[in-house]
Amino acid sequence: MSTIQVIFWIFLLLYIGAGIYVSKYIKKSKDFYVMSNRGTTLLITGTLLASYMSASTFLGIAGITYTNGPPIFLIVFTSWLGMCMAALYTGRRLRSLGCETMPDFLEMRFGGSVRIVGTIIMIVGLVGYGLVQLMGAGLVLSAITGLSYEAMIITFIVVLLIFGLLGGMWAVIVTDTMMCVTFVIATLIIAPVGIAKSGGLQVITETLYNENPLYWSAGGAVLQAPIGWTIGQMVLWVLFMTAAPWLATRTLSAKNDFVVMKATIWSILLSTVMVTVFYLGVFAVRALNPSITPPDQVLVWMSQNLVNPILGGIGIAGIMAAILSTSSTIFIYAGFALSKDLYERSIKRTLSDKEKLSNARIGQIIIAVIMLVFGLTQPVSIYWIGAWAGALFAVSWLPVLVAGFHWKNVSKTGVISSMIGGATSYILLYQLTNSWALFQMPLGIDPVIVSVMFSFFLLYVGSKLRRADEFYQKKFASINSIPLNQDTLDQFSSQRFELVKQYKSTKRLAIASSIVAVIFFGYLIIQIALKV
């Protein structure tokens, strides 16, 4: 067994051990769902960062950057704004209402029928999005580990089951934070080595530019996408991430609002710096080896050829960590949706906390079986589902969340029409334009933009045709009377000095991170602008 393989398995065992260890903290259902709100700044930063640095970051988008040039990765830069919106807009509102899952809000605001529709869409989106990443990564890592694809999928499902079954949200958040170590190695150590060995920024700004000026175009050298496509992708990432359950609900485990704000600041700063350095390194490798096939294995090549085996092994472990962090989050929320949002709310009696915990774990087992079956059979339909699964949250969940937060007169009819109609319109548009190529969207814009507007239209028309019940109008007034920071104010009610201290430290962190960001990105922009 090679050094890289040994390190890969060591890290995997470390994650398993951590998942088993934190299971001791699971005493009640609230521990399982939201860590009983004990998440620190370090843990919430780690889990937000891990959710951001997904398998797509290290595989799919890295391959696009390697093939097309650095500017193409700017399409993901607006996702930091989506992460900010998910934590500070969506997440804080859910926190203030004491929600443990996103469908909790639908039940509270609109009733059981809306919650059922929303939960079903969520499960389809989560399972589809997670499975495609899991299967694609299984193909990549099977060659590295020496295991067959089937053995790799089974291994991942077992690990996910350990996280979801034993440790719940504790296991997911703690292991996410541990996984960030491998992300730092891959992005801030291995990638800079690639830049240095290729000849520095001069090679990627001059040599490769002279080879093909389109490498530095917004549309990419190969894709040559129109500006509408680029703008559409930017909008897609912002809308999708604002309503993504695995981001918005991360804040529900935090101790208070100060933890949420500090974690968001750290996550945005670290993720943008790490992504920038990583993708510049990925493109620099093109000067060293322009024939990596398939291109999404560029980090694998970097880890095997540019650094010593120990750092290389950690880099490969970073790919595995990105897969696990994304999959474990999706896995656990799909299980929550089954157990808490569908089953528990459908029965007519009050469950004990022990029964809730048992149901939550049964939900994880059911999701594990579903993912195992689909992962091993690799049906073509799953790839289609995965292609539009992420956008489902933008077209079916985002309009409803916005209306639920801000519009008193939104009705059940409007909400259900919006969720179903928005999702259906996007699936049809995606299939007609991307899969079947029957026509093209104007200016190359993504179908998600049209479907989001259509979803808002259905929401408005449905609410006008059948007005909201008086009960839910009063519910809106009740919900909006709760300040977003009420829980935090209550927590520090007898510690005014500590409240002021936390406020000032959060403000200082925001200012300091802004200065660091201006210096870092300003330097890169100047260097690239002068040389391209």
Side-chain angles (χ1 to χ4, degrees):
M1 185 179 292
S2 68
T3 302
I4 287 179
Q5 290 175 327
V6 169
I7 292 174
F8 176 91
W9 290 110
I10 287 174
F11 271 88
L12 187 61
L13 291 174
L14 283 174
Y15 300 145
I16 293 172
I20 294 172
Y21 176 79
V22 298
S23 65
K24 70 178 186 178
Y25 295 113
I26 308 299
K27 308 296 182 184
K28 53 187 179 181
S29 61
K30 193 171 183 180
D31 295 326
F32 196 83
Y33 286 120
V34 291
M35 298 174 63
S36 288
N37 306 112
R38 293 168 65 183
T40 62
T41 300
L42 174 63
L43 290 175
I44 302 303
T45 299
T47 194
L48 280 173
L49 191 58
S51 298
Y52 183 94
M53 306 290 281
S54 67
S56 297
T57 303
F58 293 108
L59 295 173
I61 300 175
I64 294 173
T65 301
Y66 171 83
T67 304
N68 287 272
I72 200 73
F73 74 73
L74 291 175
I75 63 173
V76 305
F77 257 23
T78 49
S79 60
W80 71 261
L81 178 58
M83 179 167 64
C84 182
M85 293 291 290
L88 301 183
Y89 174 73
T90 308
R92 284 192 70 210
R93 280 169 168 76
L94 297 177
R95 272 180 58 82
S96 69
L97 300 175
C99 297
E100 294 181 347
T101 63
M102 281 173 59
D104 276 351
F105 174 73
L106 296 186
E107 175 83 17
M108 183 185 304
R109 182 70 177 84
F110 303 112
S113 56
V114 173
R115 184 253 309 158
I116 291 172
V117 173
T119 302
I120 291 172
I121 292 174
M122 174 182 283
I123 292 173
V124 172
L126 288 172
V127 172
Y129 186 73
L131 268 170
V132 169
Q133 294 210 46
L134 190 65
M135 290 188 293
L139 290 170
V140 172
L141 292 178
S142 61
I144 299 168
T145 60
L147 296 178
S148 66
Y149 166 84
E150 291 76 15
M152 202 73 251
I153 291 295
I154 292 171
T155 300
F156 278 137
I157 294 297
V158 169
V159 174
L160 294 176
L161 193 56
I162 290 172
F163 292 171
L165 197 63
L166 299 179
M169 191 54 66
W170 266 103
V172 170
I173 289 181
V174 169
T175 54
D176 272 358
T177 305
M178 293 173 61
M179 291 172 188
C180 286
V181 174
T182 60
F183 300 159
V184 170
I185 297 293
T187 58
L188 299 183
I189 296 181
I190 296 177
V193 170
I195 295 174
K197 289 192 174 183
S198 69
L201 286 177
Q202 183 174 356
V203 168
I204 59 178
T205 55
E206 293 183 13
T207 305
L208 291 173
Y209 175 79
N210 291 332
E211 178 186 318
N212 186 345
L214 289 178
Y215 281 142
W216 284 93
S217 67
V222 177
L223 288 177
Q224 298 185 35
I227 191 64
W229 179 87
T230 304
I231 295 173
Q233 290 299 303
M234 291 180 176
V235 173
L236 166 61
W237 279 92
V238 174
L239 299 181
F240 151 56
M241 296 190 78
T242 300
W246 54 91
L247 281 173
T249 52
R250 279 295 188 259
T251 62
L252 306 185
S253 300
K255 286 184 176 181
N256 51 55
D257 274 354
F258 293 119
V259 168
V260 174
M261 293 176 187
K262 289 178 181 178
T264 304
I265 294 169
W266 277 115
S267 300
I268 290 172
L269 177 63
L270 291 171
S271 62
T272 51
V273 169
M274 290 164 69
V275 165
T276 300
V277 173
F278 177 60
Y279 287 147
L280 287 175
V282 161
F283 188 59
V285 167
R286 186 171 185 87
L288 295 172
N289 182 359
S291 57
I292 296 175
T293 305
D296 59 9
Q297 293 204 32
V298 59
L299 177 56
V300 175
W301 187 90
M302 293 163 70
S303 299
Q304 293 175 332
N305 296 277
L306 298 185
V307 293
N308 65 63
I310 294 177
L311 286 178
I314 297 175
I316 299 297
I319 299 175
M320 178 263 292
I323 299 162
L324 284 179
S325 65
T326 303
S327 301
S328 64
T329 302
I330 290 170
F331 179 86
I332 203 164
Y333 280 120
F336 288 176
L338 274 180
S339 60
K340 188 177 191 297
D341 300 313
L342 284 183
Y343 175 72
E344 286 185 17
R345 294 187 183 279
S346 67
I347 59 179
K348 304 300 183 182
R349 65 182 180 86
T350 302
L351 297 175
S352 68
D353 208 61
K354 185 176 180 180
E355 288 177 312
K356 290 179 180 178
L357 193 53
S358 176
N359 290 334
R361 285 172 167 154
I362 292 172
Q364 299 301 307
I365 294 173
I366 294 173
I367 293 298
V369 172
I370 292 173
M371 294 185 77
L372 181 62
V373 170
F374 281 111
L376 292 177
T377 56
Q378 301 184 69
V380 174
S381 58
I382 282 295
Y383 288 96
W384 285 5
I385 293 173
W388 42 254
L392 282 182
F393 298 105
V395 299
S396 62
W397 268 87
L398 182 63
V400 171
L401 288 171
V402 172
F405 291 149
H406 302 292
W407 189 19
K408 175 182 178 180
N409 295 318
V410 63
S411 68
K412 286 185 181 181
T413 301
V415 168
I416 293 176
S417 300
S418 173
M419 281 191 144
I420 296 176
T424 302
S425 69
Y426 179 74
I427 293 169
L428 286 175
L429 278 176
Y430 181 90
Q431 293 302 116
L432 290 170
T433 57
N434 290 22
S435 296
W436 302 329
L438 296 181
F439 64 90
Q440 292 183 337
M441 298 296 294
L443 302 176
I445 64 173
D446 195 283
V448 72
I449 297 177
V450 175
S451 294
V452 167
M453 292 190 293
F454 183 60
S455 184
F456 272 110
F457 172 77
L458 292 176
L459 189 72
Y460 178 80
V461 171
S463 298
K464 287 295 184 181
L465 290 176
R466 185 167 183 176
R467 295 180 61 83
D469 297 338
E470 185 177 351
F471 173 81
Y472 290 106
Q473 291 180 333
K474 291 180 178 178
K475 193 72 174 177
F476 173 83
S478 173
I479 288 172
N480 277 265
S481 68
I482 303 173
L484 292 182
N485 58 0
Q486 187 60 58
D487 180 66
T488 300
L489 291 175
D490 292 342
Q491 190 176 130
F492 290 96
S493 59
S494 60
Q495 306 173 56
R496 187 175 183 278
F497 175 78
E498 183 64 24
L499 179 65
V500 174
K501 180 182 175 182
Q502 289 291 330
Y503 169 78
K504 289 182 177 179
S505 66
T506 304
K507 183 178 179 179
R508 285 195 297 268
L509 177 61
I511 294 172
S513 65
S514 298
I515 293 172
V516 171
V518 168
I519 293 172
F520 175 79
F521 289 106
Y523 170 78
L524 280 181
I525 290 170
I526 291 171
Q527 290 297 310
I528 292 172
L530 289 175
K531 294 176 180 177
V532 171

